[in-house]
Amino acid sequence: MKTVIALFFLYSLTGKAQTQNLTGIDSVYSMLENYDNTSLVNKSSNDELIWMQIDTFTVHYYNSALKGGTPKLDTITIKLRFENNWDSLRIEQTKNQNQILINQLSFIYRNYMDSIDWRGYKITKGGFESDKVGHLKMKYPIPFTEIQKSKIDLIQRCPDFLFEGMGVFLDCNNPGIREDNIRISYTNKLRYISNAVFRMDSVNYGKKNY
């Protein structure tokens, strides 16, 4: 069983901004290319880098309804999406606006679920508290009004990193890999992205930033 770990670097730029940031993207390409002797970095276009590693492993799914006990061909994907016009001030303002909305909507969500004793759905109070925005964005099973749904849509994700005037959004499926060496190799890539490429003290393992 062979698995491809693909790292897609995507950014949306227009006109002059695209030319200005080309050198920065090339520097990221070089950092990935020099990560180790086994990494394969493919620059498929001026705005996309693909980082691939071939390995064998078994996936353990957290959803008990899915079977992951036998090796099979699979793909682990890490994606970085670049978006213009982000800075520390915008992130702070967005987070403050988000928190007001999250507090209001979480109160409505809890009240409804408390009224049915959190029964009838595979949703626990602890699960909701650990990922409030994820549950709110599903707009289920709470009978939200149209106004409340529009407020949910206003909760805006913030970038995980800042890079030359752009916000960088990290997305990865982060599956449960049973083999220690493959799991460590995968998390080391996320650590490298956070610490070496974007010079952050902490490591983002795929948790979205609101």
Side-chain angles (χ1 to χ4, degrees), residues 71-107:
K72 66 176 183 178
L73 185 65
D74 202 355
T75 302
I76 298 175
T77 304
I78 300 173
K79 180 185 293 185
L80 290 174
R81 177 174 58 85
F82 289 68
E83 185 176 299
N84 281 321
N85 302 320
W86 281 98
D87 56 23
S88 298
L89 178 60
R90 182 182 173 187
I91 289 176
E92 181 181 359
Q93 292 174 337
T94 302
K95 283 186 174 182
N96 289 338
Q97 293 169 358
N98 284 345
Q99 196 56 55
I100 293 172
L101 294 170
I102 293 169
N103 289 342
Q104 292 176 351
L105 295 162
S106 293
F107 180 77

PDB file of all heavy atoms in Angstrom, residues 71-107:
ATOM      1  N   PRO A  71      -4.586  -2.210   5.729  1.00  0.00           N
ATOM      2  CA  PRO A  71      -3.869  -1.225   4.909  1.00  0.00           C
ATOM      3  C   PRO A  71      -4.575  -1.004   3.581  1.00  0.00           C
ATOM      4  O   PRO A  71      -5.119  -1.927   2.993  1.00  0.00           O
ATOM      5  CB  PRO A  71      -2.495  -1.873   4.704  1.00  0.00           C
ATOM      6  CG  PRO A  71      -2.370  -2.865   5.808  1.00  0.00           C
ATOM      7  CD  PRO A  71      -3.757  -3.375   6.065  1.00  0.00           C
ATOM      8  N   LYS A  72      -4.568   0.226   3.135  1.00  0.00           N
ATOM      9  CA  LYS A  72      -5.149   0.531   1.823  1.00  0.00           C
ATOM     10  C   LYS A  72      -4.537   1.818   1.281  1.00  0.00           C
ATOM     11  O   LYS A  72      -3.958   2.614   2.035  1.00  0.00           O
ATOM     12  CB  LYS A  72      -6.665   0.675   1.904  1.00  0.00           C
ATOM     13  CG  LYS A  72      -7.143   1.852   2.720  1.00  0.00           C
ATOM     14  CD  LYS A  72      -8.665   1.971   2.661  1.00  0.00           C
ATOM     15  CE  LYS A  72      -9.150   3.194   3.406  1.00  0.00           C
ATOM     16  NZ  LYS A  72     -10.610   3.361   3.317  1.00  0.00           N
ATOM     17  N   LEU A  73      -4.657   2.009   0.007  1.00  0.00           N
ATOM     18  CA  LEU A  73      -4.144   3.211  -0.633  1.00  0.00           C
ATOM     19  C   LEU A  73      -4.917   4.424  -0.128  1.00  0.00           C
ATOM     20  O   LEU A  73      -6.148   4.416  -0.116  1.00  0.00           O
ATOM     21  CB  LEU A  73      -4.285   3.093  -2.150  1.00  0.00           C
ATOM     22  CG  LEU A  73      -3.681   4.230  -2.971  1.00  0.00           C
ATOM     23  CD1 LEU A  73      -2.170   4.259  -2.789  1.00  0.00           C
ATOM     24  CD2 LEU A  73      -4.027   4.060  -4.438  1.00  0.00           C
ATOM     25  N   ASP A  74      -4.200   5.423   0.297  1.00  0.00           N
ATOM     26  CA  ASP A  74      -4.859   6.598   0.857  1.00  0.00           C
ATOM     27  C   ASP A  74      -4.008   7.830   0.562  1.00  0.00           C
ATOM     28  O   ASP A  74      -2.839   7.709   0.201  1.00  0.00           O
ATOM     29  CB  ASP A  74      -5.068   6.436   2.358  1.00  0.00           C
ATOM     30  CG  ASP A  74      -6.169   7.330   2.878  1.00  0.00           C
ATOM     31  OD1 ASP A  74      -6.705   8.133   2.089  1.00  0.00           O
ATOM     32  OD2 ASP A  74      -6.480   7.251   4.070  1.00  0.00           O
ATOM     33  N   THR A  75      -4.577   8.997   0.734  1.00  0.00           N
ATOM     34  CA  THR A  75      -3.853  10.242   0.509  1.00  0.00           C
ATOM     35  C   THR A  75      -4.025  11.168   1.704  1.00  0.00           C
ATOM     36  O   THR A  75      -5.143  11.446   2.113  1.00  0.00           O
ATOM     37  CB  THR A  75      -4.375  10.964  -0.757  1.00  0.00           C
ATOM     38  OG1 THR A  75      -4.248  10.095  -1.882  1.00  0.00           O
ATOM     39  CG2 THR A  75      -3.590  12.235  -1.007  1.00  0.00           C
ATOM     40  N   ILE A  76      -2.915  11.606   2.233  1.00  0.00           N
ATOM     41  CA  ILE A  76      -2.949  12.628   3.281  1.00  0.00           C
ATOM     42  C   ILE A  76      -2.659  13.958   2.602  1.00  0.00           C
ATOM     43  O   ILE A  76      -1.687  14.086   1.872  1.00  0.00           O
ATOM     44  CB  ILE A  76      -1.895  12.362   4.353  1.00  0.00           C
ATOM     45  CG1 ILE A  76      -2.160  11.032   5.038  1.00  0.00           C
ATOM     46  CG2 ILE A  76      -1.908  13.478   5.392  1.00  0.00           C
ATOM     47  CD1 ILE A  76      -1.090  10.652   6.015  1.00  0.00           C
ATOM     48  N   THR A  77      -3.506  14.926   2.833  1.00  0.00           N
ATOM     49  CA  THR A  77      -3.362  16.215   2.156  1.00  0.00           C
ATOM     50  C   THR A  77      -3.200  17.346   3.148  1.00  0.00           C
ATOM     51  O   THR A  77      -3.968  17.463   4.092  1.00  0.00           O
ATOM     52  CB  THR A  77      -4.592  16.502   1.275  1.00  0.00           C
ATOM     53  OG1 THR A  77      -4.769  15.433   0.357  1.00  0.00           O
ATOM     54  CG2 THR A  77      -4.421  17.800   0.508  1.00  0.00           C
ATOM     55  N   ILE A  78      -2.192  18.156   2.903  1.00  0.00           N
ATOM     56  CA  ILE A  78      -2.009  19.388   3.668  1.00  0.00           C
ATOM     57  C   ILE A  78      -2.087  20.539   2.675  1.00  0.00           C
ATOM     58  O   ILE A  78      -1.371  20.542   1.676  1.00  0.00           O
ATOM     59  CB  ILE A  78      -0.658  19.414   4.387  1.00  0.00           C
ATOM     60  CG1 ILE A  78      -0.542  18.246   5.363  1.00  0.00           C
ATOM     61  CG2 ILE A  78      -0.482  20.738   5.145  1.00  0.00           C
ATOM     62  CD1 ILE A  78       0.840  18.111   5.976  1.00  0.00           C
ATOM     63  N   LYS A  79      -2.958  21.485   2.938  1.00  0.00           N
ATOM     64  CA  LYS A  79      -3.147  22.578   1.991  1.00  0.00           C
ATOM     65  C   LYS A  79      -2.913  23.915   2.684  1.00  0.00           C
ATOM     66  O   LYS A  79      -3.382  24.141   3.798  1.00  0.00           O
ATOM     67  CB  LYS A  79      -4.564  22.550   1.420  1.00  0.00           C
ATOM     68  CG  LYS A  79      -4.857  23.647   0.416  1.00  0.00           C
ATOM     69  CD  LYS A  79      -6.315  23.626  -0.023  1.00  0.00           C
ATOM     70  CE  LYS A  79      -6.639  22.384  -0.812  1.00  0.00           C
ATOM     71  NZ  LYS A  79      -8.033  22.428  -1.347  1.00  0.00           N
ATOM     72  N   LEU A  80      -2.186  24.788   2.003  1.00  0.00           N
ATOM     73  CA  LEU A  80      -2.019  26.165   2.462  1.00  0.00           C
ATOM     74  C   LEU A  80      -2.600  27.100   1.410  1.00  0.00           C
ATOM     75  O   LEU A  80      -2.165  27.082   0.253  1.00  0.00           O
ATOM     76  CB  LEU A  80      -0.543  26.493   2.689  1.00  0.00           C
ATOM     77  CG  LEU A  80       0.120  25.817   3.884  1.00  0.00           C
ATOM     78  CD1 LEU A  80       1.610  26.118   3.892  1.00  0.00           C
ATOM     79  CD2 LEU A  80      -0.511  26.261   5.181  1.00  0.00           C
ATOM     80  N   ARG A  81      -3.597  27.880   1.818  1.00  0.00           N
ATOM     81  CA  ARG A  81      -4.249  28.810   0.887  1.00  0.00           C
ATOM     82  C   ARG A  81      -3.883  30.236   1.281  1.00  0.00           C
ATOM     83  O   ARG A  81      -4.015  30.627   2.440  1.00  0.00           O
ATOM     84  CB  ARG A  81      -5.766  28.619   0.944  1.00  0.00           C
ATOM     85  CG  ARG A  81      -6.554  29.589   0.075  1.00  0.00           C
ATOM     86  CD  ARG A  81      -8.033  29.232   0.086  1.00  0.00           C
ATOM     87  NE  ARG A  81      -8.582  29.228   1.421  1.00  0.00           N
ATOM     88  CZ  ARG A  81      -9.040  30.310   2.054  1.00  0.00           C
ATOM     89  NH1 ARG A  81      -8.996  31.497   1.468  1.00  0.00           N
ATOM     90  NH2 ARG A  81      -9.544  30.204   3.269  1.00  0.00           N
ATOM     91  N   PHE A  82      -3.433  31.027   0.329  1.00  0.00           N
ATOM     92  CA  PHE A  82      -2.987  32.393   0.583  1.00  0.00           C
ATOM     93  C   PHE A  82      -4.064  33.393   0.168  1.00  0.00           C
ATOM     94  O   PHE A  82      -4.646  33.276  -0.904  1.00  0.00           O
ATOM     95  CB  PHE A  82      -1.686  32.681  -0.179  1.00  0.00           C
ATOM     96  CG  PHE A  82      -0.474  31.971   0.359  1.00  0.00           C
ATOM     97  CD1 PHE A  82      -0.366  30.597   0.247  1.00  0.00           C
ATOM     98  CD2 PHE A  82       0.548  32.675   0.974  1.00  0.00           C
ATOM     99  CE1 PHE A  82       0.749  29.934   0.734  1.00  0.00           C
ATOM    100  CE2 PHE A  82       1.668  32.022   1.462  1.00  0.00           C
ATOM    101  CZ  PHE A  82       1.772  30.645   1.347  1.00  0.00           C
ATOM    102  N   GLU A  83      -4.291  34.383   1.023  1.00  0.00           N
ATOM    103  CA  GLU A  83      -5.320  35.389   0.733  1.00  0.00           C
ATOM    104  C   GLU A  83      -4.785  36.765   1.077  1.00  0.00           C
ATOM    105  O   GLU A  83      -4.175  36.968   2.135  1.00  0.00           O
ATOM    106  CB  GLU A  83      -6.582  35.082   1.557  1.00  0.00           C
ATOM    107  CG  GLU A  83      -7.765  35.972   1.267  1.00  0.00           C
ATOM    108  CD  GLU A  83      -8.994  35.537   2.050  1.00  0.00           C
ATOM    109  OE1 GLU A  83      -9.461  34.399   1.856  1.00  0.00           O
ATOM    110  OE2 GLU A  83      -9.474  36.344   2.870  1.00  0.00           O
ATOM    111  N   ASN A  84      -5.027  37.729   0.215  1.00  0.00           N
ATOM    112  CA  ASN A  84      -4.503  39.088   0.389  1.00  0.00           C
ATOM    113  C   ASN A  84      -5.185  39.861   1.521  1.00  0.00           C
ATOM    114  O   ASN A  84      -6.265  39.498   1.996  1.00  0.00           O
ATOM    115  CB  ASN A  84      -4.666  39.880  -0.912  1.00  0.00           C
ATOM    116  CG  ASN A  84      -3.612  39.543  -1.935  1.00  0.00           C
ATOM    117  OD1 ASN A  84      -2.445  39.340  -1.609  1.00  0.00           O
ATOM    118  ND2 ASN A  84      -4.025  39.471  -3.197  1.00  0.00           N
ATOM    119  N   ASN A  85      -4.524  40.952   1.905  1.00  0.00           N
ATOM    120  CA  ASN A  85      -5.091  41.984   2.787  1.00  0.00           C
ATOM    121  C   ASN A  85      -5.373  41.520   4.211  1.00  0.00           C
ATOM    122  O   ASN A  85      -6.375  41.899   4.811  1.00  0.00           O
ATOM    123  CB  ASN A  85      -6.370  42.563   2.162  1.00  0.00           C
ATOM    124  CG  ASN A  85      -6.124  43.162   0.793  1.00  0.00           C
ATOM    125  OD1 ASN A  85      -5.107  43.820   0.566  1.00  0.00           O
ATOM    126  ND2 ASN A  85      -7.040  42.923  -0.137  1.00  0.00           N
ATOM    127  N   TRP A  86      -4.507  40.686   4.743  1.00  0.00           N
ATOM    128  CA  TRP A  86      -4.605  40.305   6.150  1.00  0.00           C
ATOM    129  C   TRP A  86      -3.403  40.861   6.909  1.00  0.00           C
ATOM    130  O   TRP A  86      -2.283  40.862   6.396  1.00  0.00           O
ATOM    131  CB  TRP A  86      -4.644  38.795   6.309  1.00  0.00           C
ATOM    132  CG  TRP A  86      -5.970  38.170   6.043  1.00  0.00           C
ATOM    133  CD1 TRP A  86      -6.382  37.580   4.886  1.00  0.00           C
ATOM    134  CD2 TRP A  86      -7.070  38.067   6.949  1.00  0.00           C
ATOM    135  NE1 TRP A  86      -7.671  37.115   5.014  1.00  0.00           N
ATOM    136  CE2 TRP A  86      -8.119  37.397   6.268  1.00  0.00           C
ATOM    137  CE3 TRP A  86      -7.276  38.462   8.269  1.00  0.00           C
ATOM    138  CZ2 TRP A  86      -9.347  37.123   6.859  1.00  0.00           C
ATOM    139  CZ3 TRP A  86      -8.496  38.197   8.869  1.00  0.00           C
ATOM    140  CH2 TRP A  86      -9.510  37.536   8.176  1.00  0.00           C
ATOM    141  N   ASP A  87      -3.660  41.344   8.134  1.00  0.00           N
ATOM    142  CA  ASP A  87      -2.588  41.738   9.039  1.00  0.00           C
ATOM    143  C   ASP A  87      -3.045  41.468  10.461  1.00  0.00           C
ATOM    144  O   ASP A  87      -4.167  40.992  10.693  1.00  0.00           O
ATOM    145  CB  ASP A  87      -2.202  43.212   8.852  1.00  0.00           C
ATOM    146  CG  ASP A  87      -3.380  44.169   9.006  1.00  0.00           C
ATOM    147  OD1 ASP A  87      -4.383  43.801   9.671  1.00  0.00           O
ATOM    148  OD2 ASP A  87      -3.320  45.289   8.467  1.00  0.00           O
ATOM    149  N   SER A  88      -2.199  41.750  11.431  1.00  0.00           N
ATOM    150  CA  SER A  88      -2.521  41.436  12.827  1.00  0.00           C
ATOM    151  C   SER A  88      -3.762  42.179  13.305  1.00  0.00           C
ATOM    152  O   SER A  88      -4.577  41.625  14.062  1.00  0.00           O
ATOM    153  CB  SER A  88      -1.329  41.774  13.725  1.00  0.00           C
ATOM    154  OG  SER A  88      -0.204  40.999  13.384  1.00  0.00           O
ATOM    155  N   LEU A  89      -3.918  43.422  12.870  1.00  0.00           N
ATOM    156  CA  LEU A  89      -5.073  44.211  13.293  1.00  0.00           C
ATOM    157  C   LEU A  89      -6.366  43.611  12.763  1.00  0.00           C
ATOM    158  O   LEU A  89      -7.360  43.484  13.502  1.00  0.00           O
ATOM    159  CB  LEU A  89      -4.935  45.655  12.817  1.00  0.00           C
ATOM    160  CG  LEU A  89      -6.114  46.584  13.150  1.00  0.00           C
ATOM    161  CD1 LEU A  89      -6.322  46.663  14.664  1.00  0.00           C
ATOM    162  CD2 LEU A  89      -5.862  47.977  12.566  1.00  0.00           C
ATOM    163  N   ARG A  90      -6.385  43.233  11.501  1.00  0.00           N
ATOM    164  CA  ARG A  90      -7.597  42.641  10.926  1.00  0.00           C
ATOM    165  C   ARG A  90      -7.940  41.328  11.622  1.00  0.00           C
ATOM    166  O   ARG A  90      -9.106  41.028  11.869  1.00  0.00           O
ATOM    167  CB  ARG A  90      -7.431  42.416   9.423  1.00  0.00           C
ATOM    168  CG  ARG A  90      -8.696  41.846   8.787  1.00  0.00           C
ATOM    169  CD  ARG A  90      -8.533  41.575   7.303  1.00  0.00           C
ATOM    170  NE  ARG A  90      -9.697  40.876   6.780  1.00  0.00           N
ATOM    171  CZ  ARG A  90      -9.799  40.381   5.546  1.00  0.00           C
ATOM    172  NH1 ARG A  90      -8.801  40.538   4.685  1.00  0.00           N
ATOM    173  NH2 ARG A  90     -10.892  39.743   5.160  1.00  0.00           N
ATOM    174  N   ILE A  91      -6.930  40.530  11.930  1.00  0.00           N
ATOM    175  CA  ILE A  91      -7.175  39.267  12.635  1.00  0.00           C
ATOM    176  C   ILE A  91      -7.797  39.530  13.998  1.00  0.00           C
ATOM    177  O   ILE A  91      -8.777  38.882  14.390  1.00  0.00           O
ATOM    178  CB  ILE A  91      -5.870  38.464  12.780  1.00  0.00           C
ATOM    179  CG1 ILE A  91      -5.424  37.918  11.416  1.00  0.00           C
ATOM    180  CG2 ILE A  91      -6.061  37.311  13.764  1.00  0.00           C
ATOM    181  CD1 ILE A  91      -4.104  37.189  11.448  1.00  0.00           C
ATOM    182  N   GLU A  92      -7.246  40.505  14.726  1.00  0.00           N
ATOM    183  CA  GLU A  92      -7.773  40.819  16.056  1.00  0.00           C
ATOM    184  C   GLU A  92      -9.225  41.300  15.983  1.00  0.00           C
ATOM    185  O   GLU A  92     -10.080  40.878  16.769  1.00  0.00           O
ATOM    186  CB  GLU A  92      -6.894  41.884  16.712  1.00  0.00           C
ATOM    187  CG  GLU A  92      -7.343  42.266  18.112  1.00  0.00           C
ATOM    188  CD  GLU A  92      -6.480  43.337  18.743  1.00  0.00           C
ATOM    189  OE1 GLU A  92      -5.503  43.772  18.084  1.00  0.00           O
ATOM    190  OE2 GLU A  92      -6.760  43.756  19.876  1.00  0.00           O
ATOM    191  N   GLN A  93      -9.509  42.187  15.040  1.00  0.00           N
ATOM    192  CA  GLN A  93     -10.871  42.704  14.884  1.00  0.00           C
ATOM    193  C   GLN A  93     -11.842  41.592  14.491  1.00  0.00           C
ATOM    194  O   GLN A  93     -12.969  41.526  15.000  1.00  0.00           O
ATOM    195  CB  GLN A  93     -10.887  43.818  13.836  1.00  0.00           C
ATOM    196  CG  GLN A  93     -10.155  45.077  14.258  1.00  0.00           C
ATOM    197  CD  GLN A  93     -10.058  46.109  13.144  1.00  0.00           C
ATOM    198  OE1 GLN A  93     -10.135  45.776  11.954  1.00  0.00           O
ATOM    199  NE2 GLN A  93      -9.878  47.369  13.523  1.00  0.00           N
ATOM    200  N   THR A  94     -11.416  40.726  13.596  1.00  0.00           N
ATOM    201  CA  THR A  94     -12.270  39.620  13.149  1.00  0.00           C
ATOM    202  C   THR A  94     -12.552  38.662  14.295  1.00  0.00           C
ATOM    203  O   THR A  94     -13.693  38.196  14.466  1.00  0.00           O
ATOM    204  CB  THR A  94     -11.611  38.868  11.978  1.00  0.00           C
ATOM    205  OG1 THR A  94     -11.367  39.781  10.904  1.00  0.00           O
ATOM    206  CG2 THR A  94     -12.512  37.746  11.480  1.00  0.00           C
ATOM    207  N   LYS A  95     -11.548  38.360  15.090  1.00  0.00           N
ATOM    208  CA  LYS A  95     -11.744  37.462  16.227  1.00  0.00           C
ATOM    209  C   LYS A  95     -12.715  38.057  17.240  1.00  0.00           C
ATOM    210  O   LYS A  95     -13.559  37.346  17.803  1.00  0.00           O
ATOM    211  CB  LYS A  95     -10.405  37.159  16.899  1.00  0.00           C
ATOM    212  CG  LYS A  95      -9.549  36.163  16.156  1.00  0.00           C
ATOM    213  CD  LYS A  95      -8.306  35.811  16.959  1.00  0.00           C
ATOM    214  CE  LYS A  95      -7.513  34.713  16.281  1.00  0.00           C
ATOM    215  NZ  LYS A  95      -6.322  34.317  17.077  1.00  0.00           N
ATOM    216  N   ASN A  96     -12.620  39.353  17.473  1.00  0.00           N
ATOM    217  CA  ASN A  96     -13.530  40.012  18.415  1.00  0.00           C
ATOM    218  C   ASN A  96     -14.970  39.949  17.912  1.00  0.00           C
ATOM    219  O   ASN A  96     -15.909  39.675  18.683  1.00  0.00           O
ATOM    220  CB  ASN A  96     -13.113  41.467  18.631  1.00  0.00           C
ATOM    221  CG  ASN A  96     -11.824  41.596  19.426  1.00  0.00           C
ATOM    222  OD1 ASN A  96     -11.444  40.677  20.165  1.00  0.00           O
ATOM    223  ND2 ASN A  96     -11.144  42.717  19.289  1.00  0.00           N
ATOM    224  N   GLN A  97     -15.158  40.205  16.624  1.00  0.00           N
ATOM    225  CA  GLN A  97     -16.504  40.131  16.037  1.00  0.00           C
ATOM    226  C   GLN A  97     -17.023  38.695  16.077  1.00  0.00           C
ATOM    227  O   GLN A  97     -18.202  38.453  16.376  1.00  0.00           O
ATOM    228  CB  GLN A  97     -16.459  40.639  14.594  1.00  0.00           C
ATOM    229  CG  GLN A  97     -16.143  42.126  14.478  1.00  0.00           C
ATOM    230  CD  GLN A  97     -15.830  42.556  13.053  1.00  0.00           C
ATOM    231  OE1 GLN A  97     -15.803  41.738  12.130  1.00  0.00           O
ATOM    232  NE2 GLN A  97     -15.572  43.841  12.874  1.00  0.00           N
ATOM    233  N   ASN A  98     -16.144  37.754  15.789  1.00  0.00           N
ATOM    234  CA  ASN A  98     -16.533  36.345  15.833  1.00  0.00           C
ATOM    235  C   ASN A  98     -17.004  35.946  17.222  1.00  0.00           C
ATOM    236  O   ASN A  98     -18.010  35.231  17.377  1.00  0.00           O
ATOM    237  CB  ASN A  98     -15.352  35.450  15.439  1.00  0.00           C
ATOM    238  CG  ASN A  98     -15.082  35.441  13.947  1.00  0.00           C
ATOM    239  OD1 ASN A  98     -15.910  35.868  13.149  1.00  0.00           O
ATOM    240  ND2 ASN A  98     -13.923  34.958  13.568  1.00  0.00           N
ATOM    241  N   GLN A  99     -16.276  36.382  18.246  1.00  0.00           N
ATOM    242  CA  GLN A  99     -16.582  35.948  19.602  1.00  0.00           C
ATOM    243  C   GLN A  99     -17.957  36.412  20.055  1.00  0.00           C
ATOM    244  O   GLN A  99     -18.681  35.688  20.752  1.00  0.00           O
ATOM    245  CB  GLN A  99     -15.511  36.459  20.574  1.00  0.00           C
ATOM    246  CG  GLN A  99     -15.517  35.762  21.922  1.00  0.00           C
ATOM    247  CD  GLN A  99     -15.361  34.260  21.782  1.00  0.00           C
ATOM    248  OE1 GLN A  99     -14.417  33.769  21.164  1.00  0.00           O
ATOM    249  NE2 GLN A  99     -16.296  33.503  22.334  1.00  0.00           N
ATOM    250  N   ILE A 100     -18.335  37.616  19.645  1.00  0.00           N
ATOM    251  CA  ILE A 100     -19.680  38.117  19.974  1.00  0.00           C
ATOM    252  C   ILE A 100     -20.736  37.200  19.358  1.00  0.00           C
ATOM    253  O   ILE A 100     -21.707  36.799  20.040  1.00  0.00           O
ATOM    254  CB  ILE A 100     -19.846  39.565  19.461  1.00  0.00           C
ATOM    255  CG1 ILE A 100     -18.929  40.507  20.241  1.00  0.00           C
ATOM    256  CG2 ILE A 100     -21.312  40.008  19.604  1.00  0.00           C
ATOM    257  CD1 ILE A 100     -18.900  41.922  19.674  1.00  0.00           C
ATOM    258  N   LEU A 101     -20.571  36.867  18.100  1.00  0.00           N
ATOM    259  CA  LEU A 101     -21.530  35.997  17.414  1.00  0.00           C
ATOM    260  C   LEU A 101     -21.529  34.590  18.004  1.00  0.00           C
ATOM    261  O   LEU A 101     -22.592  33.994  18.209  1.00  0.00           O
ATOM    262  CB  LEU A 101     -21.184  35.933  15.925  1.00  0.00           C
ATOM    263  CG  LEU A 101     -21.346  37.232  15.131  1.00  0.00           C
ATOM    264  CD1 LEU A 101     -20.730  37.093  13.742  1.00  0.00           C
ATOM    265  CD2 LEU A 101     -22.819  37.615  15.020  1.00  0.00           C
ATOM    266  N   ILE A 102     -20.346  34.053  18.271  1.00  0.00           N
ATOM    267  CA  ILE A 102     -20.250  32.697  18.818  1.00  0.00           C
ATOM    268  C   ILE A 102     -20.925  32.611  20.178  1.00  0.00           C
ATOM    269  O   ILE A 102     -21.642  31.636  20.465  1.00  0.00           O
ATOM    270  CB  ILE A 102     -18.766  32.261  18.917  1.00  0.00           C
ATOM    271  CG1 ILE A 102     -18.171  32.101  17.519  1.00  0.00           C
ATOM    272  CG2 ILE A 102     -18.635  30.958  19.694  1.00  0.00           C
ATOM    273  CD1 ILE A 102     -16.661  31.930  17.501  1.00  0.00           C
ATOM    274  N   ASN A 103     -20.736  33.614  21.013  1.00  0.00           N
ATOM    275  CA  ASN A 103     -21.365  33.614  22.340  1.00  0.00           C
ATOM    276  C   ASN A 103     -22.894  33.627  22.222  1.00  0.00           C
ATOM    277  O   ASN A 103     -23.590  32.881  22.920  1.00  0.00           O
ATOM    278  CB  ASN A 103     -20.892  34.821  23.154  1.00  0.00           C
ATOM    279  CG  ASN A 103     -19.446  34.694  23.602  1.00  0.00           C
ATOM    280  OD1 ASN A 103     -18.881  33.596  23.609  1.00  0.00           O
ATOM    281  ND2 ASN A 103     -18.837  35.803  23.973  1.00  0.00           N
ATOM    282  N   GLN A 104     -23.414  34.477  21.343  1.00  0.00           N
ATOM    283  CA  GLN A 104     -24.868  34.578  21.168  1.00  0.00           C
ATOM    284  C   GLN A 104     -25.452  33.263  20.648  1.00  0.00           C
ATOM    285  O   GLN A 104     -26.447  32.743  21.186  1.00  0.00           O
ATOM    286  CB  GLN A 104     -25.203  35.701  20.186  1.00  0.00           C
ATOM    287  CG  GLN A 104     -24.893  37.102  20.680  1.00  0.00           C
ATOM    288  CD  GLN A 104     -25.148  38.150  19.619  1.00  0.00           C
ATOM    289  OE1 GLN A 104     -25.411  37.838  18.449  1.00  0.00           O
ATOM    290  NE2 GLN A 104     -25.077  39.421  20.001  1.00  0.00           N
ATOM    291  N   LEU A 105     -24.851  32.723  19.621  1.00  0.00           N
ATOM    292  CA  LEU A 105     -25.384  31.528  18.972  1.00  0.00           C
ATOM    293  C   LEU A 105     -25.163  30.271  19.794  1.00  0.00           C
ATOM    294  O   LEU A 105     -25.997  29.358  19.779  1.00  0.00           O
ATOM    295  CB  LEU A 105     -24.747  31.381  17.591  1.00  0.00           C
ATOM    296  CG  LEU A 105     -25.101  32.514  16.613  1.00  0.00           C
ATOM    297  CD1 LEU A 105     -24.122  32.542  15.449  1.00  0.00           C
ATOM    298  CD2 LEU A 105     -26.528  32.363  16.102  1.00  0.00           C
ATOM    299  N   SER A 106     -24.074  30.213  20.548  1.00  0.00           N
ATOM    300  CA  SER A 106     -23.820  29.064  21.418  1.00  0.00           C
ATOM    301  C   SER A 106     -24.861  28.990  22.526  1.00  0.00           C
ATOM    302  O   SER A 106     -25.275  27.897  22.937  1.00  0.00           O
ATOM    303  CB  SER A 106     -22.422  29.157  22.029  1.00  0.00           C
ATOM    304  OG  SER A 106     -21.431  29.016  21.038  1.00  0.00           O
ATOM    305  N   PHE A 107     -25.287  30.146  23.019  1.00  0.00           N
ATOM    306  CA  PHE A 107     -26.331  30.198  24.050  1.00  0.00           C
ATOM    307  C   PHE A 107     -27.623  29.585  23.521  1.00  0.00           C
ATOM    308  O   PHE A 107     -28.285  28.785  24.199  1.00  0.00           O
ATOM    309  CB  PHE A 107     -26.556  31.647  24.478  1.00  0.00           C
ATOM    310  CG  PHE A 107     -27.607  31.812  25.526  1.00  0.00           C
ATOM    311  CD1 PHE A 107     -27.352  31.519  26.860  1.00  0.00           C
ATOM    312  CD2 PHE A 107     -28.888  32.266  25.184  1.00  0.00           C
ATOM    313  CE1 PHE A 107     -28.329  31.667  27.831  1.00  0.00           C
ATOM    314  CE2 PHE A 107     -29.863  32.419  26.137  1.00  0.00           C
ATOM    315  CZ  PHE A 107     -29.589  32.115  27.470  1.00  0.00           C
TER     316      PHE A 107
END
